[in-house]
Amino acid sequence: MTPTIAIIGALEKEVRQIYTAVEKGTVVDEAGLHIVGGEYHGFTVVATTAGMGTVNAAAAAQHLISAYHANAIIFSGIAGGLNPQLHIGDVVIGEHLRYLDTDTALIAESAPELEEFTSTDFLIDLAEETLRAHGYIDASLTGNAAAGPETLAAARADADATLFRRNNAGTEPQQYLRGTIATGDRFVSGCEAKAAAIAATQGDCVEMEGVAIAHIAAKNGIDCLVLRAISDNCDESYDALSSREFDLEEYAASASSLVLSIVRRLAVKLGVEPRD
């Protein structure tokens, strides 16, 4: 049976590239969602824009699982940076996902009885492998004196040798981090809200959907991966952030490109053959 991967973004710009990449595509409007389905490197892919917030994300995830029998969900998009080690354009792999403004003890009274959620280990490893191949370096090395200059220099040399940086090695490479993503139903902006988010979750970035995706994946016993590209440092209002349309398109496109590359690598590892 052909594996099915669901790819979800909160905003249309976060999945637009996915829509155009699938082959033999179908388009369906159902359950309040615009769903594009098709084939990609041997997988069946269903992609949709969920809308913002945990309810929209959870509803979209459950529908794609129930109606299309998705075996895995990949969620990508943009987020506000909380970790000062990260810069705009860097990527957080959601190793841990935590609710920001939810009483998690009450949530955990129902299956799967968890207060914190995770992406799937092998998908985290695959995402890290993909990011390194794209010329990213591990942010935990740049902020860790114990790593030593030789380790950091070796990581930088590996990044500069990638196809993505061979003609641009003079610039600083972008970073990735296997980190913690905080999810809340309010847009976090300003010093006080940012500090509160850090205190509550010890998050590396904050957004409005990721933990809901991981929660529904855990509830259904399927794999998931949540990726976030840093678009701001929680120092802008939503209207101000939205006005930077060109920048947001770039960050969202970067996240989508990484998702497609991860799927291609997964196809190789699983030996999934493209269909005629």
Side-chain angles (χ1 to χ4, degrees):
M1 184 175 179
T2 303
T4 297
I5 298 177
I7 300 176
I8 304 175
L11 305 173
E12 194 273 340
K13 62 174 64 68
E14 295 171 334
V15 290
R16 186 182 301 137
Q17 192 171 349
I18 311 298
Y19 291 163
T20 60
V22 298
E23 299 174 347
K24 304 177 184 177
T26 59
V27 179
V28 177
D29 291 310
E30 61 189 19
L33 300 168
H34 181 73
I35 300 168
V36 175
E39 299 174 7
Y40 189 74
H41 284 256
F43 292 106
T44 296
V45 169
V46 285
T48 194
T49 302
M52 291 186 285
T54 56
V55 172
N56 283 329
Q62 188 60 61
H63 181 72
L64 295 185
I65 294 168
S66 298
Y68 296 91
H69 309 291
N71 306 104
I73 299 176
I74 301 177
F75 188 92
S76 77
I78 56 178
L82 299 176
N83 185 336
Q85 192 65 37
L86 299 174
H87 308 295
I88 291 175
D90 291 345
V91 172
V92 178
I93 306 170
E95 191 165 43
H96 303 282
L97 298 107
R98 296 172 180 159
Y99 282 105
L100 172 59
D101 46 16
T102 299
D103 191 330
T104 55
L106 297 182
I107 292 284
E109 291 186 5
S110 301
E113 300 179 346
L114 298 172
E115 293 193 60
E116 178 178 299
F117 298 86
T118 63
S119 295
T120 303
D121 287 343
F122 83 87
L123 290 177
I124 293 172
D125 292 342
L126 192 62
E128 183 173 23
E129 179 184 313
T130 303
L131 284 155
R132 285 179 175 171
H134 280 243
Y136 288 72
I137 63 171
D138 187 347
S140 68
L141 297 178
T142 63
N144 182 4
E150 292 183 359
T151 301
L152 182 57
R156 174 64 185 263
D158 288 343
D160 289 344
T162 64
L163 291 172
F164 294 86
R165 287 187 51 77
R166 283 181 183 172
N167 297 322
N168 199 25
T171 62
E172 286 298 313
Q174 290 180 305
Q175 304 177 107
Y176 74 88
L177 184 66
R178 296 169 67 129
T180 298
I181 296 175
T183 301
D185 277 314
R186 292 182 182 274
F187 186 81
V188 174
S189 177
C191 294
E192 290 186 8
K194 181 176 181 178
I198 294 170
T201 66
Q202 294 77 53
D204 296 296
C205 68
V206 62
E207 39 83 285
M208 297 177 65
E209 298 85 24
V211 74
I213 296 292
H215 190 155
I216 294 300
K219 200 174 183 73
N220 286 271
I222 70 168
D223 297 312
C224 79
L225 175 67
V226 180
L227 293 175
R228 287 297 192 175
I230 303 299
S231 61
D232 65 284
N233 292 309
C234 298
D235 52 4
E236 301 178 73
S237 68
Y238 177 72
D239 288 343
L241 179 64
S242 298
S243 70
R244 295 197 288 109
E245 185 66 25
F246 177 80
D247 291 337
L248 295 187
E249 291 281 353
E250 181 181 351
Y251 307 142
S254 294
S256 293
S257 293
L258 288 168
V259 168
L260 292 172
S261 185
I262 289 167
V263 173
R264 292 193 298 272
R265 284 175 176 268
L266 182 61
V268 172
K269 287 185 179 293
L270 296 182
V272 177
E273 297 293 333
R275 286 158 284 171
D276 293 330

